[in-house]
Structures are given as structure tokens and as C-alpha cells.
Amino acid sequence: MKNNIIGLSILFFIVFSSCSLTSEKMNSIFNFSKTSKIDNWKIVNDDVMGGISSASFELNSEGNAEFKGTVSTANNGGFASVRYRFRAKDIAGKKTISIRLKGDSKPYQFRVKSQANDYYSYITTFSTLGNWETIHINLEDLYPSFRGNKLNKDNFNNSSLETEYNQSLLIVIKFACSEELISSTVLK
């Protein structure tokens, strides 16, 4: 018998401390503090395609950024994201992006674009443990994807974010209702 799920809502919560490119020497992308300007961090939810998910992104009293909300599968929705645009960075020799965060034991998606105008992103997923941790994302493991489909293109390479593009870049942290998450959620 097939389940007739009209919409499932899942709460999510993640707190960020910093995001850095790493190799032998750290190259900070953003460090949150009580005085951080977070105007370049933008929420994009599934309402852009008719969904009803909601999210917020703000600094807490400790100076960390909180990304929280509710993701709903109603109206063919199912995602909430926070995006950060910044000037191009020379990442020669950088192999990893490290994010200091405290999650809610749910999986999240990390995305980066090599050029702001690209229609696709390089993505990977990561899980959170529920306590403060540093997530390390290998740049070469980021694969190209568009609307949930892996593209027949090369994975991210270290030259993709070099300053020669002179465009703003985009980092996205996304929470989405996946089939695995929906099937592991108990409906009562």
C-alpha cells in the first residue's frame, strides 16, 4: 500500500562559528563574532518554486550565526538554504574547506560555484553530530550538480576559484528533505 503523504515538515537548526580554506596556512572566508556584518548572507527557500519552507539566519548572543527553520515537502517543496557571496579568492594550494559548526544530527549539503553565473554548483553532503565540530570538505570531492542531478563534468579543481574570474562567489549550506530522511522520520 502506497503512503499518501501530503507534506512532511522537519525542523532544523545549525550554528556556525567560522568557514575557512585550509592547507598548511588558513585562509578565512568568514569568522562570526558579535559584531559581524551578515548582510551578504541570504536565505533562499523553496518558496522560489511554490514551497512553504521557512528559515532564518541571525547572530546569537555568543556571536555565532544560527541558521534554523522548518522544511516542508508540501507544494513540491523541501529545502531551505543560506548563501554567502564574497569576492573571488586565490585558492592555489588549498585542498579543504573547514566549517566550525554545531548541528542537530541531520544531514546538510554544501555547495560552491566557481563562477557566480554558472547554472550548476559543486556539491557534497555532510552529517552533523549534535555538538561543536569542524567539518572538513575536500575540494576535489565536490561534484557538479544541477537540480539534484549529477552532471557529466569534472569534479571541482583548485583553479576554479582563482581571482582571474573577478566575480563574487557563492557558498550555500542547504537542508533538504531527502527520501532517506523522510523514510526515517516516524509519522504518528
Side-chain angles (χ1 to χ4, degrees), residues 41-146:
W41 291 84
K42 304 291 182 201
I43 296 290
V44 178
N45 298 326
D46 57 17
D47 58 348
V48 298
M49 52 185 252
I52 61 169
S53 297
S54 63
S56 64
F57 187 78
E58 56 195 26
L59 291 176
N60 65 19
S61 60
E62 288 84 36
N64 296 310
E66 291 182 353
F67 174 47
K68 58 187 173 183
T70 304
V71 171
S72 173
T73 59
N75 294 349
N76 296 314
F79 75 88
S81 67
V82 60
R83 300 170 183 222
Y84 177 57
R85 289 188 183 270
F86 57 98
R87 288 276 185 211
K89 289 189 176 282
D90 181 4
I91 64 163
K94 305 297 184 196
K95 298 183 184 310
T96 308
I97 290 183
S98 299
I99 306 170
R100 180 83 178 138
L101 57 81
K102 181 178 183 181
D104 56 3
S105 302
K106 293 184 178 80
Y108 288 83
Q109 188 179 89
F110 176 84
R111 295 176 170 220
V112 65
K113 287 191 173 189
S114 60
Q115 295 186 51
N117 299 358
D118 285 346
Y119 71 93
Y120 60 92
S121 298
Y122 292 96
I123 72 170
T124 192
T125 57
F126 63 90
S127 296
T128 59
L129 300 174
N131 49 16
W132 281 104
E133 61 188 306
T134 301
I135 303 294
H136 301 285
I137 298 169
N138 291 323
L139 293 173
E140 64 187 18
D141 293 340
L142 296 170
Y143 62 90
S145 178
F146 179 67

Side-chain angles (χ1 to χ4, degrees), residues 30-38 59-64:
F30 202 93
N31 287 312
F32 294 100
S33 71
K34 291 180 182 181
T35 60
S36 292
K37 303 285 186 222
I38 59 171
L59 291 176
N60 65 19
S61 60
E62 288 84 36
N64 296 310

Side-chain angles (χ1 to χ4, degrees), residues 169-183:
L169 303 173
L170 176 68
I171 285 181
V172 179
I173 304 292
K174 179 178 176 181
F175 178 73
C177 285
S178 66
E179 291 298 321
E180 295 81 24
L181 187 58
I182 291 170
S183 64

